[in-house]
Amino acid sequence: MLHAVLRAAEEGHEATPNPVLPEVYDILWSAVCFVIILAFFWKYVLPRVQKLLDERGEAIEGNIAKADEAQRKAEAALEQYTAQLADARIEAGRIRESARDDSKTIVAEAREQALSEAARIAASAQAQIEAERQAALVSLRSDVGTLAIDLASGVIGESLADDAKAQSVVDRFLAELEASEQAAAGGKS
């Protein structure tokens, strides 16, 4: 029985195809289709894909080069801006310093002008005071002389108004009066 089973198994084995191994005609037609598809891809699709990849790579490299150039330009512009900013700060410092110097000069000139104007005004006032003092002295002498002559005329009873001698007497009296005032002022100091 065992022999019968083995023989039946051997006979059945030859009749049943192996499901893992395909038939030769299937392998042959599959190989032909694969070669046709492979040739189509090799001839038409692969060159186009390669061309697209090359163009894309060139575009990326071009964009990288443009980006590098833009970065270099931006760095150069930044350096130029920084240099201009530093120059502007230096110039602003010079302008401020010049303005300070100018303001000091203007203040000094204004002070000098004010002092000279004050000195001029004081000198003018002093001259005016002296002129008014002299005018007052002359007027006072004249008035005192006139009063003295009138008094003397009243005491004597004669008119002394036209007499030159009366005028010299008044002048001498006033000179003696001034001398005594100056002596008194000199003694006090």
Side-chain angles (χ1 to χ4, degrees):
M1 175 134 170
L2 186 58
H3 276 264
V5 174
L6 283 176
R7 188 178 271 184
E10 286 179 7
E11 286 175 12
H13 177 55
E14 292 175 7
T16 311
N18 190 353
V20 177
L21 289 176
E23 294 295 326
V24 173
Y25 66 88
D26 283 338
I27 294 174
L28 181 67
W29 284 112
S30 295
V32 167
C33 287
F34 178 76
V35 168
I36 291 172
I37 292 172
L38 179 67
F40 176 76
F41 270 92
W42 193 270
K43 180 130 178 143
Y44 297 108
V45 175
L46 192 60
R48 286 185 180 176
V49 169
Q50 187 63 38
K51 182 180 176 186
L52 277 170
L53 289 176
D54 289 343
E55 288 174 357
R56 180 90 177 202
E58 289 174 5
I60 290 171
E61 287 176 7
N63 287 339
I64 289 173
K66 287 178 185 176
D68 288 342
E69 182 65 26
Q71 185 174 3
R72 282 192 294 274
K73 286 181 180 179
E75 288 173 356
L78 178 63
E79 288 176 9
Q80 184 180 9
Y81 170 75
T82 305
Q84 287 176 347
L85 183 62
D87 290 345
R89 285 181 179 157
I90 290 170
E91 184 65 24
R94 273 190 251 147
I95 290 171
R96 278 193 305 269
E97 194 61 36
S98 175
R100 283 187 193 123
D101 292 343
D102 289 348
S103 69
K104 288 177 184 177
T105 303
I106 290 170
V107 166
E109 288 174 358
R111 183 175 290 138
E112 184 178 315
Q113 188 176 12
L115 288 174
S116 68
E117 185 68 19
R120 186 191 64 77
I121 290 172
S124 173
Q126 188 68 29
Q128 187 176 0
I129 290 170
E130 186 61 31
E132 287 177 3
R133 183 177 169 272
Q134 290 298 325
L137 272 175
V138 168
S139 174
L140 186 62
R141 263 185 192 205
S142 170
D143 290 344
V144 168
T146 304
L147 283 175
I149 290 175
D150 288 344
L151 277 175
S153 295
V155 171
I156 297 176
E158 290 183 25
S159 175
L160 299 173
D162 294 332
D163 194 21
K165 188 173 183 181
Q167 186 66 31
S168 69
V169 168
V170 170
D171 287 341
R172 191 182 71 213
F173 172 73
L174 289 175
E176 288 175 3
L177 184 63
E178 281 182 11
S180 67
E181 283 180 5
Q182 287 178 356
K188 287 183 182 177
S189 5

